[in-house]
Amino acid sequence: MIASDNAILELIFNPELQGQGLPTPDTQEKDTYATDINPEALKELKQIEQQAIEHANNGQLKDALNILNTCISREPTYAPAYNNRAQVYRLLKDNEAALKDLNSAVEKANGQNWILRQAYTQRAILKKQMGDKDGSLEDFQLGAKHGSPIAREIAVSENPYAKMCNQAVMEVMSREFNFQ
């Protein structure tokens, strides 16, 4: 399949992308963070955040939470810390606090796709767990728009129009190519 075919299928299954072009994940973007934080302070924040991630990976969730609280208190505009703290809150089964942090991450993301795709996808999963089907689908679509392949797959599978379109395409293809 050529690139233009993929683009057409992407627009069929994700009609909200029409006129916006297709999201292309930037492999370098996670290493950068567009901010007014001075470079030395940003380096320190990333180190603090990494410590928190290590603690969380080792099951030391309360320690990870305390470290992320320190990171956020030092720089309340640092969006990646909100994403990570939300994950810790989810593991601690504090969904309300996680949702609040994900809202903050979206708000403070400065339009950066890598932060938005994480926050929207994580928030969609959380909303789905909390029973907010419409809110979840909307966030999966936003996560997909910002380049999350997981969010894209779920948004397509949950979208009733995409399901109908997919069924119609499969019927046409089966007739055309005698698929079984």
Side-chain angles (χ1 to χ4, degrees):
M1 191 175 299
I2 59 175
S4 62
D5 292 339
N6 285 330
I8 291 167
L9 288 175
E10 185 68 23
L11 289 173
I12 289 171
F13 291 114
N14 293 307
E16 74 277 358
L17 296 177
Q18 189 160 357
Q20 299 174 25
L22 296 175
T24 55
D26 182 356
T27 56
Q28 300 295 320
E29 72 181 336
K30 199 166 183 176
D31 295 332
T32 62
Y33 180 64
T35 182
D36 293 334
I37 303 170
N38 85 45
E40 280 303 309
L42 183 59
K43 183 178 178 182
E44 186 178 328
L45 291 170
K46 287 181 180 184
Q47 289 172 343
I48 293 170
E49 187 181 16
Q50 188 56 45
Q51 289 173 358
I53 291 168
E54 289 171 13
H55 278 79
N57 287 338
N58 291 327
Q60 301 164 327
L61 298 178
K62 295 285 186 182
D63 291 337
L65 184 61
N66 289 334
I67 293 168
L68 288 166
N69 287 338
T70 299
C71 188
I72 290 170
S73 68
R74 284 191 186 178
E75 185 51 62
T77 64
Y78 185 58
Y82 290 94
N83 262 337
N84 286 313
R85 191 170 71 174
Q87 183 62 26
V88 172
Y89 278 134
R90 284 183 59 218
L91 292 170
L92 291 169
K93 309 246 186 284
D94 188 346
N95 291 342
E96 293 302 322
L99 191 59
K100 183 178 175 188
D101 270 0
L102 292 168
N103 292 337
S104 293
V106 167
E107 180 183 308
K108 298 170 188 323
N110 296 324
Q112 295 178 90
N113 281 332
W114 71 275
I115 296 169
L116 291 169
R117 83 171 141 254
Q118 289 175 345
Y120 282 127
T121 302
Q122 207 176 163
R123 194 169 76 177
I125 292 166
L126 186 57
K127 285 181 177 180
K128 187 170 186 161
Q129 289 173 344
M130 296 171 80
D132 181 1
K133 187 175 179 180
D134 293 337
S136 175
L137 179 57
E138 183 178 323
D139 279 351
F140 277 127
Q141 290 169 338
L142 289 167
K145 175 183 172 184
H146 290 285
S148 170
I150 293 167
R152 181 176 299 126
E153 188 174 312
I154 294 170
V156 168
S157 71
E158 300 280 323
N159 184 324
Y161 298 110
K163 285 180 182 178
M164 280 189 335
C165 185
N166 187 31
Q167 183 179 8
V169 168
M170 293 308 291
E171 286 176 17
V172 169
M173 289 180 70
S174 69
R175 283 194 305 254
E176 184 68 28
F177 298 108
N178 293 322
F179 287 142
Q180 299 299 329

